[in-house]
């Protein structure tokens, strides 16, 4: 199972355009700062295209080892992805859409007719089976000061680094049962199901979609093996056990025979 | 006695030395078995829950046979010194009984050592840990024991699961049906805790960020000590029996040659 997970992760990594150097995975701060610095050099049209060809990525498996789990998937936040579309005057936020992988996912739209972002919830879409649902909303991640993943080992900095760096889909197990919930609900996913994810840049006031990434490659939640399948038979007996049993049986016979002879 | 006085004295000396060694080994065996039974690691609930704690039975037998060997060695020495036929006959008969019991103890320990596999503990942990609906009182008792023992192991020995925390993510388990995966990918005891007993970073623990969860399995701690001690009970018992055989054979020879 872990092999499959490794494979899917590496294929995700590979599909990242190499020339973008958005390699936030690198633990060195230099590479991260480099990508942030390089972005403004690109021509404006090119920048706008950046988000259109990027896909959401799974969080760096070097740091986040338990991912994807049965019901959660941790994704890297879209660093520097939407730079070309952000204008100074408006304020933006990023919406995360989740959908079960199917033939129609690639063309599934997260906009309604007025270019506004969809407000579909987990329940309305039957957990993403009928279409994409909005799982989370967060601020546009800072491109200029991305978190250093090497800081994660520092207990004091870890909470901040984790919140800045990743978004865990399926994290909130209580929101489905909360009648007063106003924001997007991010309940646990189903196990052994492939999901696709999409980040969308939305104007905070008008709710109009300004930019979006592609749908991610399918990411499959893991699956459990039944515990009854575990074989507890010890298999071949150890040589020691055979030796002890055999020799002791012989010794017992010898002693008994000797006793009879001595009588 | 057909041979000369010196030969007899020599043979008596040999028997006495054999008995002294046997008595001392008996004491050592008793001490070892007491140590095993006292269960310093408190793993007994795990074995009890497998319905297969015969290895403890073997150790209990070892305690009594060890003490028996010690007492018999005293009787044997006195018997040889006095060349008393009755006393030696009693000695031989009792020794054969103790011998048989020690054979049983040694073989049981050797056989059951093979059963202490990873999968045995893994399956038991998955099926009994935090079991909220035990089918009967017996199951209730065992589940509680397993839960308690695992909680303590994972906290004290900074380990998680049998092979590692992935056990909880790989197999179905009672724990998984009781707790949801998003909040409890593995028990909280697998998280690195501060002195107050709260995880130092719960999100890091859930995500499996190194440094915030225990990445090693508990199998070595649990089965390691158990296996070593059972090995001792089996093979030390075996060694004593090999020695005792010769002492017993020589005593029988001596007994058959004593003149009335």
């Amino acid at each position: 199972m872990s092999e499959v997970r490794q494979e899917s992760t590496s294929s995700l990594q590979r599909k990242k355009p190499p020339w973008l150097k958005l390699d936030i995975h690198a633990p060195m701060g230099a590479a991260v700062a480099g990508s942030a610095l390089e972005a403004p050099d690109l021509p404006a049209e090119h920048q706008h295209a950046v988000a259109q060809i990027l896909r959401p990525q799974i969080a760096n498996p070097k740091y986040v080892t338990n991912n994807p789990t049965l019901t959660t998937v941790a994704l890297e936040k879209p660093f520097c992805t939407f730079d070309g579309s952000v204008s100074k005057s408006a304020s933006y936020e990023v919406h995360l859409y989740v959908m079960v992988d199917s033939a129609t996912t690639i063309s599934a739209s997260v906009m309604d007719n007025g270019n506004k972002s969809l407000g579909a919830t987990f329940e309305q879409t039957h957990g993403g089976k009928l279409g994409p649902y909005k799982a989370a909303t967060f601020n546009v991640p800072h491109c200029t000061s991305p978190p250093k993943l090497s800081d994660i080992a520092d207990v004091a900095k870890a909470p901040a680094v984790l919140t800045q760096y990743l978004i865990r889909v399926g994290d909130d197990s209580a929101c489905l049962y909360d009648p007063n919930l106003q924001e997007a609900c991010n309940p646990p996913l189903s196990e052994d199901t492939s999901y696709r994810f999409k980040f969308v840049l939305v104007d905070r006031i008008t709710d109009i979609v300004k930019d979006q990434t592609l749908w991610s490659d399918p990411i499959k939640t893991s699956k459990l093996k039944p515990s009854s399948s575990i074989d507890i038979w010890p298999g071949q007996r150890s040589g020691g056990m055979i030796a002890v049993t055999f020799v002791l049986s012989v010794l017992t016979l010898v002693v008994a025979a000797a006793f009879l002879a001595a009588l | 006695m057909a041979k000369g006085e010196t030969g007899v004295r020599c043979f008596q000396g040999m028997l006495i030395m054999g008995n002294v060694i046997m008595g001392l080994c008996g004491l050592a065996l008793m001490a070892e078995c007491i140590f095993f039974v006292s269960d310093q690691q408190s793993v007994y609930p795990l074995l009890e829950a497998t319905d297969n704690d015969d290895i403890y039975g073997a150790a209990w037998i070892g305690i009594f046979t060890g003490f028996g060997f010690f007492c018999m060695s005293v009787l044997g020495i006195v018997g040889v010194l006095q060349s008393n036929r009755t006393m030696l006959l009693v000695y031989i008969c009792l020794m054969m009984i103790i011998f048989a019991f020690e054979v049983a103890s040694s073989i049981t320990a050797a056989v059951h050592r093979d059963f202490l596999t990873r999968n045995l503990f893994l399956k038991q942990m998955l099926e009994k840990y935090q079991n909220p609906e035990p089918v009967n009182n017996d199951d209730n008792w065992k589940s509680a024991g397993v839960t308690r023992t695992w909680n303590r192991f994972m906290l004290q020995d900074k380990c998680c699961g049998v092979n590692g925390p992935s056990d909880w993510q790989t197999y179905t388990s009672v724990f998984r049906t009781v707790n949801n995966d998003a909040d409890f990918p593995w028990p909280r005891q697998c998280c690195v805790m501060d002195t107050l007993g709260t995880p130092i970073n719960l999100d890091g623990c859930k995500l499996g960020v190194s440094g915030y969860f225990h990445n090693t399995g508990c199998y070595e701690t649990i089965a390691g000590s158990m296996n070593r001690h059972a090995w001792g009970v089996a093979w030390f018992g075996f060694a004593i029996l090999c020695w005792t055989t010769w002492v017993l054979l020589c005593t029988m020879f001596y007994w058959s040659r004593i003149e009335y």
Side-chain angles (χ1 to χ4, degrees), chain A residues 112-187:
Chain A
D112 62 10
N113 294 330
N115 269 355
K116 292 193 172 181
S117 69
L118 276 182
T121 65
F122 182 86
E123 281 161 309
Q124 285 164 0
T125 61
H126 290 245
K129 285 196 192 79
L130 304 181
Y133 71 92
K134 187 164 81 174
T137 305
F138 52 91
N139 295 328
V140 183
H142 293 295
C143 183
T144 44
S145 57
K148 280 187 200 162
L149 277 181
S150 47
D151 282 349
I152 220 164
D154 184 339
V155 178
K157 290 179 185 165
V161 172
L162 283 177
T163 7
Q164 282 172 34
Y165 170 63
L166 55 81
I167 173 95
R168 190 171 184 239
V169 187
D171 191 40
D172 192 346
S173 54
C175 65
L176 277 185
Y177 313 103
D178 182 359
N180 300 318
L181 189 82
Q182 298 294 319
E183 304 152 356
C185 180
N186 184 14

Side-chain angles (χ1 to χ4, degrees), chain A residues 63-66 69-71 152 154 158 168 170 173 224-227 230-231 234 238 247-248 251 258-259 262, chain B residues 92 111 114 119 123 169-172 176 180-183 185-186 201 206-209 212 238 241 245 249 252 255:
Chain A
Y63 292 95
V64 181
T65 56
N66 186 30
T69 68
L70 302 174
T71 60
I152 220 164
D154 184 339
R168 190 171 184 239
S173 54
L224 292 177
K225 282 188 259 181
S227 61
I230 300 173
D231 186 8
S238 63
V247 174
L248 287 185
L251 287 187
F259 182 63
Chain B
I92 289 170
V111 169
D114 287 0
N119 281 350
K123 191 168 186 176
Q169 286 283 314
T170 314
Y171 294 102
T172 55
R176 181 58 53 240
N180 73 62
D181 168 73
D183 292 334
W186 35 67
N201 187 331
K206 285 195 266 186
L207 288 165
V209 179
Y212 299 103
F238 176 73
L241 285 176
T245 309
L249 290 182
M252 285 172 187
W255 174 72

